[in-house]
Amino acid sequence: MPIYFLRRVLAAIPVMLVVAVFVFLLLRLTPGDPAAILAGDMATPEQLDRIRETLGLNDPLLVQFFRWIGALLQGDFGTSLISNKPVIDLVADRMWPTIWIAIITLSLSVIIAVPMGVLAAWKQGSWVDHLVMTFSVLGFSVPVFVIGYLLIKLFAIDLRWLPVQGYKAPSKDLAGFAARAVLPALTLASIYIALIARMTRASLLDVLNEDYVRTARAKGLTEARVLFRHALRNAAVPVMTVIGTGFALLISGVVVTESVYNIPGLGRLTVDSIFARDYPVIQALILLTSGVYVLVNLLIDLSYSLLDPRIRY
Amino acid sequence: MTSIWRNLRTGILGATAMALVSALPASAETITAVMHSGLRVMDPVITTAHITRDNAFMVFDTLVALDADFVVQPQMANFEVSEDGLTYTFTLRDGLKWHDGGEVTPADCIASIKRWMQRDGGGQMISDRMESLEATGDKSFTLTLKEPFPYTLQAMAKVSSLALFMMPERIANTPASEAITEMVGSGPFKFVAEEFQPGVKVVYEKFEDYVPAPGPQSWFSGAKEVKVDRVEWVTMPDAQTTMNALINGEIDFMETVPVDLLPLLQGMDEVKSEVLSPLGSVTIGRMNFLHPPFDNPKIRQAALMAMSQEDVLTALIGNPEYFKVCGAIFGCGTPFEFTDGSETLTSGGDIEGAKKLLEEAGYDGTPIVLMQPTDVTTLTAQPIVAAQALRNAGFNVDMQPMDWQTLVTRRASQAAPADGGWNIFFTNWIVPEVSGPLANVMLNGRGDQAWFGWPDDPEIETLRTEFASAADLGTQKAIAQKIQAHVMDNVNYIHLGQYYSPSAWSEALTGVTKAPFPVFWGIEKTEG
Amino acid sequence: MAEKTLRGAFPLSTRLLTERVGIAPMIAAVVLALIILAAIFAPLIVPHDPILQDPVMRLKPPSAEYLLGTDAYGRDLLSRVIYGARVSLMIGIGVTIMAVVLGLAIGLVSGFFRTADAIVMRVMDGLMAMPSVLLAIAIVSLMGASIWTVMAAITIPEIPRVVRLVRSIVLSAREEPYVEAAIALGTSMPRVLWRHLMPNTFAPLTVQATYVCASAILTEAILSFLGAGVSTETPTWGNIMAEARIYFQLKPMLILWPGLALSLCILSINLLGDAARDILDPRMGKRED
């Protein structure tokens, strides 16, 4: 197990390197000049050049790349070109809303989707099954922002049950936080619920056909016991996989959701930074999200052995 | 690795501490406002971004200031001009303090003026004529010119596109090509640096030691009295969300309400809406003089002739109560309101005339690269309407969508349109930015030194020099009228009309005053 | 996986088909066919020019002349939605073709040649680790928005998924006796890849392609929403909605009509994809007891 773990961690290094090279090249080889943005409307070419010089944008690409990687290895993510704040501070400021929304979305999705999937598998072919399946296909057929606007219209504007937008730190105002987190989390969860429900159903159907489940049934165990003791536990592995691969989807959804609900999280920070050509921030954020993606998937791989006794490393 | 974690941890602890600090007692009066965009760059000398200027007016104070009649009034300092017009003596008011407790000295002001002169067009004009700028006492300093320059005080008092703000000497000594990082001013509000989140939130506290200038408040002059404890600017990416937040009482003030959304506020007692800037803004199209086909004045005229202000403004604003078809390049409602040469623009365009001109000019079908910003709502309509007008006249239009920052980068490129350059783009200005021949940067005709588009236009430069040394308003007006006619004829840019953005605020706010952009002094908040 | 797909031969009669997958995919096929026909014949069936503006007629409610009303520029919404089908489908299909062709080529090579595999898969892992929408916004925003950059930006993150699928199939198929025999007989590598390995990938790729197509259309809408899409002179379902977002409360139908078209289209594609998978992979379909 520890050796396997070590090997997986080492395997993540070339992946991150690919990400770093890709992002760096993407930013430097495309048009767009942060100096022009900083300098504003009345800058003369000579002023522009001076700004480029101070930002180090006049150095050869290779020099810029290794300077960046070198700093990264020392834990220095750089400084925003636009706001002059250290990138690490920007991220620390903005990561909690995103983390909280992601956690709530995940829990909400699992709580809603797993029973849906179980029900569909159990009543396979019935109208319940069809309803669940149609609903879940709908979940990733409607754009996130349309779902978001519909929820706002219904719950915040017409019924006035919940605030329209915003974010409050849970440490400061728990009720305010909860009220503002419900709609974004529901919006984001729509895709996840669809994915997890489908995967739960599919893998449960697989497991229900396995010999040991048939044996259990033949032994006369109740259907509920069969479902929960034997089937669900084994079906958990593919569901975990979906949570891992769906993490990328979650990030994409977060970007849109944060902009619909005006949540000052990492998604908006990334989009804003892209539009502002704030190179150090974009680089750090894409590297960071990729890193988290790799980490989440690593943890999920490791969790397999806990969930499914048949898997050993 | 450890330092990452240390950094992150301090960030987290900082955030929690911040949360505690901002949990102020319930009696604290806070105005929460949504401005037109998020604050990212803080230095008002580096960038012309409006939000940066708005922030600077909160934190910094100005030496002199404009009132609602465009008259220059004392603000931080009284001023005297010698009879020969060569010597300007400024005397600082008593009791002026920086937010860090230091006293405001002439040395601070001199450093601030010098830094501004390196970046601002008006400042450069003063600098070109300057003999000396030096302290003459504990409270006073003198600006001496080599030749009279009547525009001096106007330039120092202008409200936009590099207004002149006073900063402590140590900050003002930052090179003009580097952004300042510290927000310490002597203005009516203190900038709360710990709570600043670029692009998300700016927090201001009342500056208790602020000494308001004598006299009633009018625009940026007179007493700036702060009547609340805190002002918070939060950024919202979506006008719809902002409106709903205002209606639900989650915010108090919204700077720009899209006119199309005003009906949502109808019949609502708890929200008021009104146009705060009586002069409003103008929208313009600018062509690139370096490359075909717009290097040809006839073809530029054809393009102008094809445009209709009313079509552009209807698409941009909608409700005709909030726009004005106005042929005056210096803006309707300003001292230099002349409309010579604007007949086609204000009467719906002349497509037939444009076609004829285009034919005469021998337009060969070269595609026109029209840059269309996709992420700025106040700039998305103009390119769409203009493209249709230009096509109707027979132009071959290549409309290229891009985000605003790409546009900003690309418009600085002098390359041929096919190689990453451009032919035409659109932008907006608030009227005070374009209301005079010297302030209006689009009138600069010095080729490579000019604003994007780079017209080489010696004729307008002569007129502007004459204007700069014109002694009285009558002469100035006569020259301004000539400039108006010249701009329409030479098509230095296409003036597409004037519009007025309504703001909206909660009924809990009283004392919201009119000014070209929102000011937060004078506003009171009553708990509703 | 490969074994399973080999077992899943295409069913022969429609009766059998409805029995196996239910009625929903049939309806989906009809809806999709209608959308495709509308897209192809858009110039013939639209009542108005989709980009012709009429400032006087802006934001008008539905009427006999404008069946769905007009947008903020006085353009006919119905015509725009119909034309939107063209571009949205073109983006969907274009991305699918590019992703499948590139993914297939890379996947075949990577699955077959061990040396290439190590490098290719690291690159693919790297691409996959980057959040696709963020990557796409960055690409479009940095390169300038046009249909081509939008398509490229959506394709790049999709490629690794196809590569992985193809590679896994090739890896198991190359152990098959007939492939080993072909190699032993000295068949050239391109021929082995082309004749013996590629056919195995067709069935699973068909299923994958439907999902790629659906997600491409959806991603385009999201890019438009975030301000990184194609110009509204070229209507797509995404940019019609994005442009109308500020009118959501006053004129919700401006968003709901294109939203409905988009959702129906994607729903149909997904349902067809599910049906294809059920047919090609019997274990995922009906319970066999």
Side-chain angles (χ1 to χ4, degrees), chain B residues 146-191:
Chain B
K146 291 181 226 159
E147 54 180 282
F149 186 51
Y151 180 62
T152 302
L153 284 173
Q154 284 281 342
M156 295 175 102
K158 63 184 179 163
V159 297
S160 209
S161 282
L162 303 201
L164 167 57
F165 297 104
M166 294 302 116
M167 304 173 181
E169 190 177 4
R170 69 190 150 88
I171 298 178
N173 280 341
T174 313
S177 59
E178 273 169 43
I180 61 169
T181 50
E182 218 185 330
M183 283 279 108
V184 173
S186 65
F189 288 96
K190 280 201 289 193
F191 184 90

Side-chain angles (χ1 to χ4, degrees), chain C residues 33-55:
Chain C
L34 285 177
I35 294 176
I36 292 173
L37 284 177
I40 294 173
F41 296 108
L44 302 177
I45 55 177
V46 292
H48 295 271
D49 180 345
I51 62 166
L52 186 73
Q53 309 154 23
D54 184 355

Side-chain angles (χ1 to χ4, degrees), chain B residues 35-83:
Chain B
M35 305 296 280
H36 64 274
S37 93
L39 178 71
R40 290 187 182 82
V41 184
M42 294 184 288
D43 189 341
V45 173
I46 281 278
T47 178
T48 53
H50 285 168
I51 192 69
T52 303
R53 167 207 64 196
D54 298 354
N55 168 65
F57 266 103
M58 300 286 280
V59 179
F60 301 110
D61 210 345
T62 57
L63 213 49
V64 290
L66 272 195
D67 69 11
D69 302 315
F70 287 89
V71 176
V72 179
Q73 300 286 354
Q75 180 53 227
M76 285 169 78
N78 289 309
F79 55 86
E80 257 175 66
V81 187
S82 64
E83 268 191 25

Side-chain angles (χ1 to χ4, degrees), chain B residues 397-439:
Chain B
V397 181
D398 173 15
M399 182 136 116
Q400 299 196 4
M402 57 193 78
D403 57 63
W404 176 246
Q405 299 301 354
T406 306
L407 196 153
V408 167
T409 310
R410 190 158 165 191
R411 72 178 180 185
S413 160
Q414 297 192 345
D419 308 326
W422 56 278
N423 288 117
I424 184 168
F425 73 94
F426 298 85
T427 190
N428 303 329
W429 301 89
I430 63 168
V431 168
E433 287 169 326
V434 298
S435 61
L438 299 180

Side-chain angles (χ1 to χ4, degrees), chain C residues 43-283:
Chain C
L44 302 177
I45 55 177
V46 292
H48 295 271
D49 180 345
I51 62 166
L52 186 73
Q53 309 154 23
D54 184 355
V56 186
M57 291 303 296
R58 65 194 298 273
L59 296 172
K60 288 280 181 273
S63 63
E65 200 190 348
Y66 300 100
L67 284 177
L68 301 183
T70 58
D71 73 0
Y73 295 92
R75 299 174 296 202
D76 178 40
L77 184 60
L78 178 62
S79 308
R80 287 180 73 73
V81 172
I82 295 173
Y83 260 89
R86 277 194 146 186
V87 183
S88 293
L89 281 177
M90 195 176 117
I91 288 174
I93 294 168
V95 167
T96 310
I97 292 174
M98 292 198 299
V100 167
V101 169
L102 289 172
L104 185 62
I106 300 172
L108 281 175
V109 169
S110 164
F112 202 78
F113 300 103
R114 284 285 146 83
T115 38
D117 189 44
I119 300 165
V120 169
M121 288 322 284
R122 289 297 82 72
V123 174
M124 291 300 135
D125 285 347
L127 278 182
M128 212 146 146
M130 281 182 269
S132 56
V133 165
L134 290 184
L135 194 59
I137 299 170
I139 293 174
V140 174
S141 161
L142 295 167
M143 316 268 263
S146 72
I147 292 196
W148 305 110
T149 48
V150 167
M151 271 170 40
I154 303 174
T155 305
I156 292 173
E158 293 288 353
I159 293 175
R161 284 170 245 281
V162 180
V163 170
R164 287 191 150 197
L165 180 66
V166 173
R167 176 176 171 272
S168 71
I169 296 163
V170 171
L171 280 182
S172 54
R174 59 173 286 164
E175 307 298 326
E176 297 275 332
Y178 69 95
V179 177
E180 283 182 358
I183 296 175
L185 283 172
T187 318
S188 72
M189 283 306 152
R191 202 174 155 80
V192 172
L193 284 176
W194 183 260
R195 286 291 298 272
H196 299 290
L197 292 179
M198 201 166 75
N200 286 300
T201 63
F202 285 160
L205 269 186
T206 311
V207 178
Q208 181 74 12
T210 59
Y211 298 135
V212 172
C213 183
S215 111
I217 296 176
L218 210 54
T219 308
E220 186 278 324
I222 289 175
L223 288 182
S224 287
F225 176 81
L226 293 170
V230 300
S231 160
T232 56
E233 282 224 316
T234 316
T236 70
W237 289 329
N239 69 26
I240 301 174
M241 285 192 276
E243 201 173 44
R245 64 192 271 207
I246 74 158
Y247 305 110
F248 179 67
Q249 262 167 276
L250 288 167
K251 308 263 173 199
M253 296 323 276
L254 282 182
I255 287 189
L256 293 183
W257 285 120
L260 190 69
L262 175 77
S263 305
L264 267 180
C265 178
I266 295 177
L267 189 62
S268 306
I269 298 173
N270 279 329
L271 286 172
L272 286 177
D274 282 359
R277 198 194 47 197
D278 285 352
I279 295 162
L280 300 171
D281 187 356
R283 274 170 57 107

